Amino acid sequence: MAGQTEMLGNYEIKSNERGIFSVTLSNYAYTAPMAHGMTFVKSLTADVQTGKIYPLRDLFKPGSAYVRVLSENIRQQIRRRQIPTLGPFGSIKPDQDYYLADKALVVYFQLYEIVPYYVGFPMFPIPVSDLESVASEQGPLAIMATNS
């Protein structure tokens, strides 16, 4: 007989300022006799006036090397923070998960994607000021970087 599945959902508003809304949504599921449950986190960043949802690529200038810039920043953070990885870190995906919070772009990975389970969800905050050379002038990063 299969066990019952326990499922919990949650959300956390990461940013709701300057017309930009960014939220994470998490879903945890456990079915006995699994060793542990599994959690997935997804996020959404949108313009509250237009409803436009921003995939990662839309935060950056067309043709910019944002994947390389973000990947190198993450590689340095892995080294500096001594984060244990499952293998050498290569690169983010062009549509990597992210959210915006506190004038930072936070790139994150799912459980087991690059680190062992016990590490949890690896989150890599990158100040928007570090991304000015590749950020779209009209996108959420430019809006979040303003001092008004």
Side-chain angles (χ1 to χ4, degrees), residues 25-28 38-42 110-111 121:
L25 310 159
S26 64
N27 185 24
Y28 168 84
M38 189 65 177
T39 302
F40 293 94
V41 175
K42 286 309 221 180
Q110 298 299 317
L111 297 175
F121 291 91

Side-chain angles (χ1 to χ4, degrees), residues 8-74:
L8 302 169
N10 198 3
Y11 70 94
E12 186 175 341
I13 297 172
K14 298 297 188 172
S15 183
N16 188 13
E17 57 184 310
R18 301 178 186 181
I20 302 298
F21 180 77
S22 198
V23 62
T24 57
L25 310 159
S26 64
N27 185 24
Y28 168 84
Y30 173 77
T31 303
M34 292 170 37
H36 58 75
M38 189 65 177
T39 302
F40 293 94
V41 175
K42 286 309 221 180
S43 49
L44 176 94
T45 298
D47 181 307
V48 297
Q49 296 297 324
T50 66
K52 176 176 173 45
I53 295 172
Y54 292 94
L56 183 63
R57 72 179 171 275
D58 286 358
L59 303 182
F60 300 96
K61 296 173 187 172
S64 70
Y66 77 93
V67 170
R68 183 183 52 75
V69 170
L70 297 177
S71 297
E72 182 54 35
N73 186 296
I74 290 167

Side-chain angles (χ1 to χ4, degrees), residues 78 83-90 109-120 122:
I78 288 170
I83 298 171
T85 59
L86 295 171
F89 176 72
F109 296 85
Q110 298 299 317
L111 297 175
Y112 295 116
E113 193 171 355
I114 66 167
V115 300
Y117 180 84
Y118 75 87
V119 175

